[in-house]
Amino acid sequence: MLRSFGLARNFSTSSRVLVNYGFVGLGQMGQHMARHIYEKLEPVDKLFVYDTVGAASDTFVRTNKDAFPDHAHQLFKVDQLTDLVSTVEEPLDYVVTMVPEGSHVSGVVSALVEAYKQVTPSKNFHPTVFLDSSTIDIQTSREIHEYVKQQVPEFDFIDTPVSGGVAGARKGTLSFMLSRGSMDDISPKLLTLLKKMGANIFPCGASHGTGLAAKLSNNYLLAVTNLAVADSFQLAKSFGLDLKAYAKLVSVSTGKCWAAVDNCPIPGAYPSEKQLPADIGYEGGFTTKLTRKDLVLATSCAEKNNRPLFLGDVGRFWYNKACESEKLANRDLGVFYEWLEDIDTKKSDEKVGVTEKATVKA
Ligand code: NAD
């Protein structure tokens, strides 16, 4: 008969070399993050992957085994989420989640915790650490953390959101933000895992949720500076300036920021140096839809904190409006520059209306 995990925990304290990884969510970001773990597995490590879309797991396993056959015997896909508990001989040391929303994270973690509670503890039973790299709201993340700690105190759930986009995930250069007081508070094993997937690790504070707080604060800045950049380049255009020359000037002046320089919305501004989304019709890059998601999360968390934001309402208005159009929603956020030109010439009354709305609200 199965014993309750909660009543008879018997964690091994012996040091061991083997590390079992689980990865849940093999989408745009997750497939690359999981690939880096796979390629850098130590000879005794194992990686188990799961996605609700079975084809995503199948493709991941097939392409990575083909591309990197040396580790093929260490990579497994599971068909059901709870197989990560029931079919894996030793418990997973780490489970990384990279799924769209807080409700998905909560569903995955609670299903796994409930499954763990049903298994017979053995001397090999090691605690599991959940790492959530999805961008979700802080409150939901805190609730999941409390739930995990309540159900199995030896387990942990850490917010480890990332910055760097799909390109950073592909190259393995992501920045991780996590709720730890300092680098000394990050265990060597956890650091090893994070460094497999990313280049920069930022401990953001000891209490749970500080990683997400940093991520949302940064992405709020990105969302609003992107609006200001579109405004600034359209203003320069209305003055008759050469926009490529203006882009160069901004890159060494006080208006310098990621949206103006690294993601400059002027096609051909940096022809010899790099190809930007603006050069290919604003395809790829960081989509308007995802920017809106992060802006809404940031401003909603600010509201709950009674933290007024100068540009919260204005930003939400414009990103909501942009996302009414599939063409804008699914293209890089630099497309706001092009879109603003359209609004100026054809719908100037609408623009005035918004300015008034923002003024009244303020
Ligand atoms: P995506 O939609 O491409 O991938 C999500 C994957 O999760 C899909 O394959 C989906 O089938 C799977 N999934 C959904 N629910 C699941 C569940 N319950 N169990 C298992 N798998 C499930 O999304 P993405 O772009 O990879 O983003 C993932 C997360 O990372 C989001 O929270 C996003 O905001 C954040 N993020 C994205 C970027 C980016 O540039 N795309 C950058 C930083 C952070």
Side-chain angles (χ1 to χ4, degrees):
M1 196 178 108
L2 291 176
R3 278 188 291 157
S4 159
F5 187 82
L7 294 175
R9 277 188 298 276
N10 182 16
F11 289 99
S12 168
T13 50
S14 63
S15 64
R16 57 183 198 142
V17 188
L18 167 79
V19 185
N20 279 331
Y21 300 104
F23 203 103
V24 178
L26 300 165
Q28 296 233 64
M29 298 289 288
Q31 60 174 297
H32 297 296
M33 295 163 70
R35 171 173 53 80
H36 289 297
I37 298 177
Y38 170 67
E39 289 178 0
K40 294 167 196 161
L41 285 173
E42 294 298 326
V44 289
D45 295 349
K46 291 176 188 162
L47 171 63
F48 300 84
V49 296
Y50 172 74
D51 193 291
T52 34
V53 178
S57 314
D58 289 337
T59 306
F60 178 86
V61 168
R62 191 182 60 252
T63 53
N64 285 297
K65 282 188 173 180
D66 285 352
F68 212 75
D70 285 2
H71 293 171
H73 61 289
Q74 296 167 264
L75 175 61
F76 310 87
K77 72 152 195 149
V78 294
D79 294 324
Q80 302 292 327
L81 176 64
T82 50
D83 290 349
L84 286 174
V85 175
S86 56
T87 66
V88 177
E89 310 138 25
E90 288 208 52
L92 298 168
D93 297 76
Y94 293 100
V95 177
V96 183
T97 42
M98 196 55 177
V99 291
E101 310 279 345
S103 58
H104 303 129
V105 181
S106 169
V108 168
V109 172
S110 57
L112 291 178
V113 167
E114 289 309 314
Y116 276 123
K117 283 167 65 183
Q118 298 305 314
V119 299
T120 307
S122 75
K123 66 179 171 45
N124 287 328
F125 219 108
H126 291 268
T128 296
V129 177
F130 294 96
L131 302 179
D132 180 36
S133 288
S134 325
T135 308
I136 67 171
D137 70 282
I138 298 169
Q139 184 57 31
T140 301
S141 186
R142 284 197 180 126
E143 283 166 13
I144 301 170
H145 177 256
E146 275 162 31
Y147 162 81
V148 169
K149 284 292 178 191
Q150 239 171 30
Q151 297 297 314
V152 192
E154 294 83 355
F155 280 16
D156 207 349
F157 174 84
I158 312 175
D159 50 319
T160 57
V162 295
S163 174
V166 178
R170 187 182 293 114
K171 287 185 269 178
T173 55
L174 290 173
S175 292
F176 280 91
M177 294 156 260
L178 65 162
S179 48
R180 286 291 178 268
S182 71
M183 289 301 279
D184 292 341
D185 299 329
I186 304 173
S187 74
K189 242 162 117 180
L190 173 54
L191 202 56
T192 302
L193 169 56
L194 296 174
K195 284 187 171 171
K196 286 180 199 288
M197 299 182 279
N200 305 302
I201 319 291
F202 293 103
C204 298
S207 64
H208 185 87
T210 54
L212 276 168
K215 165 77 184 171
L216 295 182
S217 301
N218 177 71
N219 281 31
Y220 173 77
L221 182 59
L222 166 67
V224 298
T225 49
N226 185 59
L227 290 176
V229 165
D231 270 346
S232 169
F233 278 97
Q234 283 297 348
L235 179 65
K237 189 176 181 184
S238 72
F239 292 147
L241 296 183
D242 172 340
L243 292 184
K244 290 181 191 168
Y246 177 64
K248 290 272 156 56
L249 178 151
V250 169
S251 75
V252 291
S253 302
T254 46
K256 180 180 175 180
C257 62
W258 186 88
V261 182
D262 304 79
N263 202 49
C264 182
I266 306 305
Y270 296 96
S272 58
E273 293 154 49
K274 49 195 171 184
Q275 190 183 60
L276 298 179
D279 300 326
I280 47 171
Y282 305 97
E283 295 299 335
F286 192 57
T287 61
T288 301
K289 181 165 78 177
L290 274 180
T291 315
R292 175 188 168 275
K293 175 194 161 183
D294 293 356
L295 176 66
V296 169
L297 284 174
T299 51
S300 308
C301 290
E303 270 162 29
K304 282 188 193 130
N305 262 3
N306 288 326
R307 175 69 259 163
L309 296 171
F310 282 130
L311 296 173
D313 284 343
V314 175
R316 263 161 94 137
F317 178 89
W318 286 112
Y319 281 91
N320 283 338
K321 186 134 201 73
C323 287
E324 286 169 9
S325 151
E326 284 286 302
K327 249 180 99 184
L328 292 170
N330 293 317
R331 285 198 287 165
D332 180 79
L333 75 170
V335 76
F336 269 65
Y337 161 74
E338 195 181 86
W339 183 44
L340 181 55
E341 180 151 24
D342 200 34
I343 292 168
D344 266 348
T345 52
K346 296 184 189 136
K347 301 178 189 165
S348 55
D349 52 330
E350 189 175 58
K351 193 181 172 206
V352 173
V354 173
T355 311
E356 278 167 2
K357 181 171 176 255
T359 310
V360 171
K361 275 204 153 196

